[in-house]
Amino acid sequence: MTNVLEIIPESLQSEVGAALAWFNTHENAAYDVTGIVDPPVTSGSSQDLRLVLCGEGVCRQETFKVTGSVEFPKVEWLGLDHAQDSVGVAELDPPPGARKTWLADVAGRNSFAVLLFYRGFW
């Protein structure tokens, strides 16, 4: 089961901060981190950081790898890796599987349906 934390663990603050700063500079935007998906247990564990970023009127999940020192972090954006598209958070379309089948079933039986898309989650 996916574990999403709204509060970034203290041990990951510097890595998350570096990823956010890099992303905001790269996208010329002002996103905030509003959650972390399946956070690594410790910093420097070489695990990916899956962050929920909100700003500019949207929320999106982006994945980063942060290496190097606290003073000189090296950020690699893994957000273009579509291997994780079927795992975790959907951006626009419902994820494949049971929820998408359920949505098609509900839409077929009703004249309208209300969907809640909250901070990058269906």
Side-chain angles (χ1 to χ4, degrees):
M1 177 185 262
T2 302
N3 179 25
V4 181
L5 301 178
E6 292 184 13
I7 298 174
I8 306 302
E10 186 68 35
S11 63
L12 299 173
Q13 290 281 337
S14 62
E15 291 177 8
V16 169
L20 177 64
W22 183 93
F23 187 78
N24 280 336
T25 300
H26 182 270
E27 295 292 300
N28 193 25
Y31 285 88
D32 292 316
V33 175
T34 61
I36 185 167
V37 181
D38 294 330
V41 178
T42 61
S43 67
S45 65
S46 74
Q47 284 185 288
D48 298 347
L49 294 175
R50 294 172 55 198
L51 304 178
V52 178
L53 305 176
C54 292
E56 309 289 321
V58 298
C59 289
R60 53 197 281 184
Q61 178 186 326
E62 297 294 341
T63 306
F64 302 90
K65 184 175 290 291
V66 180
T67 57
S69 66
V70 174
E71 296 83 22
F72 301 105
K74 179 184 175 201
V75 177
E76 182 181 356
W77 183 24
L78 305 175
L80 299 177
D81 179 10
H82 296 291
Q84 291 186 2
D85 283 353
S86 63
V87 179
V89 180
E91 285 191 36
L92 300 174
D93 295 324
R99 283 179 272 186
K100 196 165 193 171
T101 304
W102 173 85
L103 180 58
D105 182 50
V106 168
R109 287 186 287 132
N110 300 290
S111 59
F112 72 93
V114 177
L115 301 175
L116 177 61
F117 183 73
Y118 173 69
R119 293 180 44 193
F121 294 95
W122 284 96

